[in-house]
């Protein structure tokens, strides 16, 4: 831009100087010729006056007279009679002179007017300017006085003028270039700064300012630009802040969110929805929502409600990509300042798989508790009624029935105690009882309690416990109950001649306890549900060995109360291993 302005400036200056010079030359030429003409006319009239003062005009030697006056006025002088013949000339031999009656200046002079003309002189071989003045004396010898000067002097004058004008143009251009460059630079500098600032803003450097101290239109433009830049920076920062907050909110939501435009194309997917549907926002943006969904049933339900433009909700079980249960809410997106205008649809997906699983577990739990309580109570009631009908008189039958009633009562007692313990563990958000547990001593006491039971079943207990285990902080009773349940389980489900191994060791910040047996093992499909209440791999065998179905559920909740982890490995007819990992106090 600076170069274009500078070139334009120089061009205009050059045109102005050339135009002024040419006009000046033309005007000067006109004035110069006019001065010569006036001078020749004046000289011609002076010669006329001189001739009039002579007493006898017929005796005048006009050739001599022409020579005398020609030397004085530096012009060629020609005297012409009334017949148009030259009677005297300062620059030509009288014998060679001819008739000039056809000359335009002579014709006009013979008419009583002053004649002026310019033409090429063959006799002198260059261009001349001629002025012819009529003579008013009463004489037939002279009629016109003609004066002429060569135009070569004018040409030399013109050449001199051209040189001066050329020098003036060069000098003017040099001055104009210096002044113009500084002026154009001062004018374009703010524009350059504005250009650089706009380039930086377009690159993301919002808030860029320019420093212009002029008070003209450029200064006003720069001031408005600075205000616009600051306003733009504030607006962008506000939008970024809102966008960051929106992303944080969407990322923190536990529900999946999919935003669609009016063409049902995806414009936003939050991370939870990406995980639920196994998609990536970058891959599905601007795609139709039905192209993205994999489950056919979900597609059909969403497609049916998308065009209603009203709030709606449905619950659905999807098979793809995973078997889950969703609550799907569909809400139209409306503008705050124009509620009647809908700009899209918001699809909110709530994963209620765990809720439905817990509801099912609760129902199963109630049913199982009812069943577990009903079975021994029915037995007890049946035997009591039998005793009432007369069996009580038969000592052998009576004792047999009372033993069975005692066994069933023990089952009920164990079941109720396990239920109370499980309820206590579950309903305690934080372990309130903090004992210092001597882990080595606690394991030894549990082994002593269960050793007799193991001998009765023909199972050998093997202890592989590090004798220098660190102490543990927590409920000592719960810790021992966890060990009892795991070891008791191993004894119950290990055939005669098998072994149950108790291994314990510590790492830098964990206590690891492993209970492994060589029992019947557990099939792989049962492992995920092994810690559920009343879940039994083999219900008949579990009841036969006296299990309540709550032992492993209690173990799991005790481990969670200690902020630990439990896992299980098992192979059918090979045995089972439970691994408990508990965190140690940093102190």
């Amino acid at each position: 831009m600076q170069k274009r302005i500078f070139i334009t400036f120089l061009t205009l200056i050059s045109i102005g100087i050339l135009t002024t010079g040419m006009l000046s030359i033309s005007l000067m030429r006109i004035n110069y010729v006019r001065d010569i003409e006036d001078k020749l006319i004046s000289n011609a009239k002076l010669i006329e006056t001189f001739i009039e003062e002579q007493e006898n005009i017929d005796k005048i030697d006009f050739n001599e007279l022409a020579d005398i006056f020609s030397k004085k006025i530096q012009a060629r002088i020609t005297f012409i009679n009334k017949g148009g013949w030259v009677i005297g000339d300062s620059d030509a031999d009288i014998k060679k002179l001819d008739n000039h009656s056809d000359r335009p200046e002579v014709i006009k002079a013979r008419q009583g007017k002053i004649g002026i003309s310019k033409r090429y002189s063959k006799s002198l071989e260059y261009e001349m300017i001629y002025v012819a003045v009529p003579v008013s004396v009463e004489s037939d010898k002279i009629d016109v006085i003609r004066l002429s000067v060569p135009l070569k002097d004018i040409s030399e004058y013109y050449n001199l003028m051209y040189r001066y004008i050329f020098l003036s143009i060069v000098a003017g251009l040099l001055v104009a270039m210096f002044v113009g460059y500084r002026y154009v630079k001062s004018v374009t500098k703010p524009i350059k700064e504005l250009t650089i600032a706009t380039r930086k803003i377009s690159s993301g450097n919002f808030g860029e300012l320019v420093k212009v101290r002029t008070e003209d239109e450029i200064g006003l433009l720069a001031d408005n630009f600075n205000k616009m830049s600051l306003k733009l920076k504030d607006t962008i920062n506000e939008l970024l802040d809102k966008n960051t907050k929106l992303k944080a909110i969407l990322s923190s939501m536990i529900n999946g969110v999919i935003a669609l435009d009016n063409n049902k194309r995806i414009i936003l997917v939050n991370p939870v929805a990406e995980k639920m549907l196994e998609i990536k926002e970058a891959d599905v943006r601007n795609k139709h929502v039905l192209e993205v969904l994999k489950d056919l049933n979900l597609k059909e339900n969403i497609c049916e409600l998308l065009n209603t433009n009203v709030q709606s909700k449905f619950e659905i079980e999807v098979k793809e990509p995973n078997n889950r249960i969703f609550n799907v809410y569909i809400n139209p997106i409306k503008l705050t300042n124009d509620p009647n205008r809908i700009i899209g649809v918001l699809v909110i997906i709530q994963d209620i798989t765990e809720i439905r699983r817990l509801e099912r577990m609760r129902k199963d739990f109630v049913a199982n508790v009812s069943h577990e309580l009903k079975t021994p109570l029915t037995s007890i009631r049946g035997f009591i009624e039998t005793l009432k009908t007369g069996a009580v008189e038969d000592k052998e039958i009576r004792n047999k029935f009372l033993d069975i009633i005692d066994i069933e009562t023990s089952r009920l007692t164990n079941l109720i105690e396990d239920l109370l313990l499980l309820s206590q563990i579950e309903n305690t958000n934080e372990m309130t009882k903090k004992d210092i547990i001597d882990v080595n001593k606690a394991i030894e006491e549990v082994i002593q309690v269960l050793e007799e039971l193991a001998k009765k079943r023909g199972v050998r207990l093997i202890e592989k416990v590090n004798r220098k285990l660190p102490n543990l902080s927590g409920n000592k009773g719960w810790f021992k109950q966890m060990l009892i349940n795991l070891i008791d389980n191993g004894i119950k489900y290990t055939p005669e001649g098998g072994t149950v191994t108790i291994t314990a060791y510590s790492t830098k910040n964990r206590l690891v306890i492993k209970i492994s047996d060589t029992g019947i093992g557990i099939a792989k499909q049962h492992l995920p549900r092994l810690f559920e209440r009343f879940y039994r791999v083999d219900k008949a065998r579990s009841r036969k060995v006296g299990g309540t179905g709550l032992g492993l559920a209690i173990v799991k909740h005790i481990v969670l109360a200690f902020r630990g982890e439990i896992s299980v490995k098992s192979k059918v007819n090979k045995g089972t291993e439970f691994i408990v990992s508990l965190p140690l106090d940093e102190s």
Side-chain angles (χ1 to χ4, degrees):
M1 181 178 178
Q2 180 177 340
K3 186 184 291 184
R4 290 202 303 271
I5 293 176
F6 187 62
I7 293 173
T8 304
F9 178 78
L10 289 181
T11 303
L12 292 175
I13 291 293
S14 301
I15 292 172
I17 293 174
L18 287 171
T19 304
T20 303
M22 296 305 295
L23 289 174
S24 298
I25 290 174
S26 177
L27 182 62
M28 290 172 68
R29 176 173 181 159
I30 292 170
N31 290 332
Y32 183 73
V33 171
R34 188 172 295 167
D35 288 342
I36 291 175
E37 291 173 353
D38 291 343
K39 181 180 177 182
L40 293 175
I41 291 171
S42 298
N43 290 331
K45 289 183 177 181
L46 287 173
I47 295 171
E48 180 188 7
T49 303
F50 175 79
I51 293 172
E52 287 177 350
E53 291 176 351
Q54 300 300 314
E55 295 179 357
N56 190 353
I57 297 174
D58 296 334
K59 293 182 179 181
I60 297 174
D61 185 353
F62 284 100
N63 280 324
E64 184 182 353
L65 184 63
D67 288 335
I68 294 171
F69 279 102
S70 175
K71 292 176 181 177
K72 289 182 179 182
I73 64 174
Q74 299 296 317
R76 178 186 176 183
I77 302 173
T78 305
F79 295 106
I80 302 171
N81 63 15
K82 290 185 178 182
W85 294 94
V86 176
I87 58 174
D89 195 303
S90 60
D91 290 338
D93 189 350
I94 190 64
K95 296 178 181 179
K96 295 181 181 180
L97 298 180
D98 54 4
N99 191 294
H100 284 3
S101 60
D102 59 343
R103 303 293 194 270
E105 71 277 3
V106 175
I107 294 171
K108 199 168 185 181
R110 293 177 70 182
Q111 293 175 355
K113 300 177 182 180
I114 297 174
I116 300 172
S117 68
K118 300 183 193 72
R119 66 178 181 274
Y120 183 78
S121 174
K122 292 181 180 180
S123 59
L124 298 176
E125 297 182 347
Y126 45 75
E127 193 175 15
M128 302 286 289
I129 180 170
Y130 296 93
V131 175
V133 179
V135 178
S136 60
V137 295
E138 295 180 358
S139 173
D140 293 334
K141 192 173 183 179
I142 185 169
D143 187 40
V144 175
I145 301 173
R146 190 184 71 173
L147 278 69
S148 63
V149 293
L151 287 178
K152 65 177 182 178
D153 296 336
I154 298 176
S155 299
E156 292 176 358
Y157 177 76
Y158 286 161
N159 292 333
L160 182 63
M161 288 299 299
Y162 285 138
R163 282 198 297 272
Y164 285 152
I165 288 175
F166 176 75
L167 291 174
S168 299
I169 290 174
V170 172
L173 284 176
L174 290 175
V175 174
M177 285 174 64
F178 176 74
V179 176
Y181 177 76
R182 293 178 64 87
Y183 175 75
V184 170
K185 186 177 180 181
S186 66
V187 170
T188 57
K189 183 180 178 182
I191 299 175
K192 282 185 176 180
E193 291 183 3
L194 284 169
T195 304
I196 294 170
T198 53
R199 189 181 297 118
K200 289 181 178 179
I201 289 175
S202 65
S203 301
N205 297 324
F206 305 107
E208 193 70 24
L209 301 179
V210 293
K211 296 178 182 178
V212 178
R213 296 180 177 84
T214 60
E215 296 182 359
D216 53 8
E217 289 79 1
I218 297 292
L220 182 61
L221 175 63
D223 186 52
N224 291 333
F225 175 85
N226 290 338
K227 291 178 181 177
M228 180 194 71
S229 180
L230 292 173
K231 182 67 176 176
L232 179 63
K233 182 181 179 181
D234 293 340
T235 304
I236 294 296
N237 288 337
E238 185 179 353
L239 289 173
L240 288 174
D241 183 58
K242 289 182 178 179
N243 192 34
T244 302
K245 290 178 180 178
L246 178 62
K247 284 186 176 180
I249 291 171
L250 290 173
S251 299
S252 303
M253 290 180 67
I254 60 173
N255 296 329
V257 177
I258 301 175
L260 312 175
D261 60 18
N262 281 329
N263 295 321
K264 309 304 179 285
R265 295 188 176 276
I266 295 174
I267 56 178
L268 183 144
V269 180
N270 77 333
V272 178
E274 289 181 337
K275 187 176 180 181
M276 284 180 175
L277 302 175
E278 292 187 357
I279 57 176
K280 291 291 182 182
E281 183 183 12
D283 298 333
V284 301
R285 191 182 292 118
N286 295 325
K287 289 186 178 181
H288 198 281
V289 64
L290 299 182
E291 296 179 25
V292 175
L293 299 176
K294 299 176 182 178
D295 188 84
L296 182 61
N297 197 15
L298 182 61
K299 279 186 183 182
E300 291 176 352
N301 281 271
I302 288 182
C303 182
E304 184 179 345
L305 297 174
L306 277 179
N307 298 316
T308 59
N309 289 332
V310 294
Q311 291 184 355
S312 52
K313 170 194 171 185
F314 64 89
E315 181 178 320
I316 187 170
E317 182 175 359
V318 300
K319 305 295 182 182
E320 294 182 17
N322 295 308
N323 197 340
R324 312 290 289 174
I325 300 174
F326 293 149
N327 261 346
V328 181
Y329 301 84
I330 296 180
N331 297 308
I333 304 174
K334 299 179 181 179
L335 290 176
T336 305
N337 55 355
D338 188 4
N340 294 323
R341 184 182 172 189
I342 297 173
I343 61 172
V345 178
L346 193 67
V347 180
I348 301 175
I349 305 173
Q350 180 185 17
D351 190 346
I352 58 171
T353 308
E354 189 64 20
I355 296 174
R356 292 292 179 260
R357 189 183 70 82
L358 292 174
E359 288 178 354
R360 186 171 62 251
M361 285 178 61
R362 180 175 56 81
K363 291 177 182 178
D364 293 343
F365 177 74
V366 173
N368 287 328
V369 168
S370 301
H371 179 75
E372 293 293 336
L373 290 173
K374 183 178 179 182
T375 302
L377 286 174
T378 302
S379 299
I380 293 171
R381 185 175 181 182
F383 288 123
I384 290 173
E385 288 179 355
T386 303
L387 290 172
K388 283 182 178 181
T389 57
V392 71
E393 301 298 333
D394 190 331
K395 185 178 179 181
E396 185 179 346
I397 295 175
R398 180 185 64 194
N399 290 337
K400 181 182 178 182
F401 283 3
L402 289 174
D403 288 340
I404 294 173
I405 290 171
D406 183 52
I407 293 170
E408 295 297 335
T409 304
S410 297
R411 283 185 61 192
L412 281 173
T413 302
N414 292 336
L415 179 60
I416 291 169
E417 286 178 353
D418 284 350
L419 285 171
L420 290 174
L421 178 60
L422 183 61
S423 177
Q424 180 187 3
I425 297 169
E426 279 187 324
N427 293 328
T428 304
N429 293 327
E430 189 175 345
M431 194 182 299
T432 55
K433 189 177 181 182
K434 293 281 187 175
D435 301 322
I436 301 300
I437 304 172
D438 186 336
V439 177
N440 287 108
K441 186 176 179 181
I443 294 174
E444 186 179 346
E445 289 174 354
V446 170
I447 291 174
Q448 288 176 357
V449 169
L450 296 174
E451 198 164 22
E452 190 63 31
L453 176 63
K455 287 180 180 179
K456 286 182 180 180
R457 294 183 176 271
V459 176
R460 184 163 61 94
L461 296 181
I462 300 175
E463 181 186 352
K464 293 183 180 180
V465 179
N466 189 326
R467 295 302 175 184
K468 295 182 181 180
L469 292 176
N471 292 336
L472 195 65
S473 176
N475 190 310
K476 185 177 180 181
W478 289 3
F479 181 74
K480 291 176 72 174
Q481 185 66 50
M482 175 191 72
L483 294 174
I484 290 171
N485 287 6
L486 290 174
I487 298 172
D488 182 59
N489 241 30
I491 295 170
K492 287 177 180 177
Y493 295 101
T494 299
E496 188 176 348
T499 60
V500 176
T501 304
I502 302 97
T503 305
Y505 59 90
S506 63
T507 61
K508 186 176 180 180
N509 54 4
R510 310 288 290 185
L511 173 66
V512 180
I513 301 173
K514 296 182 180 179
I515 310 296
S516 56
D517 61 56
T518 57
I520 59 175
I522 304 168
K524 187 177 181 180
Q525 67 268 23
H526 296 294
L527 293 179
R529 300 188 61 188
L530 200 60
F531 295 100
E532 292 182 11
R533 303 171 182 85
F534 298 111
Y535 184 79
R536 293 183 173 93
V537 177
D538 186 344
K539 295 183 180 180
R541 180 178 174 86
S542 296
R543 287 196 176 91
K544 184 178 178 181
V545 298
T548 62
L550 296 173
L552 290 179
I554 292 172
V555 168
K556 177 185 176 181
H557 285 85
I558 290 174
V559 171
L560 293 176
F562 276 91
R563 304 190 313 277
E565 298 171 354
I566 184 169
S567 59
V568 58
K569 299 177 182 178
S570 185
K571 288 185 179 180
V572 178
N573 298 323
K574 295 289 185 179
T576 303
E577 181 181 52
F578 289 90
I579 304 167
V580 177
S581 175
L582 305 177
L584 295 170
D585 290 341
E586 292 182 1
S587 58

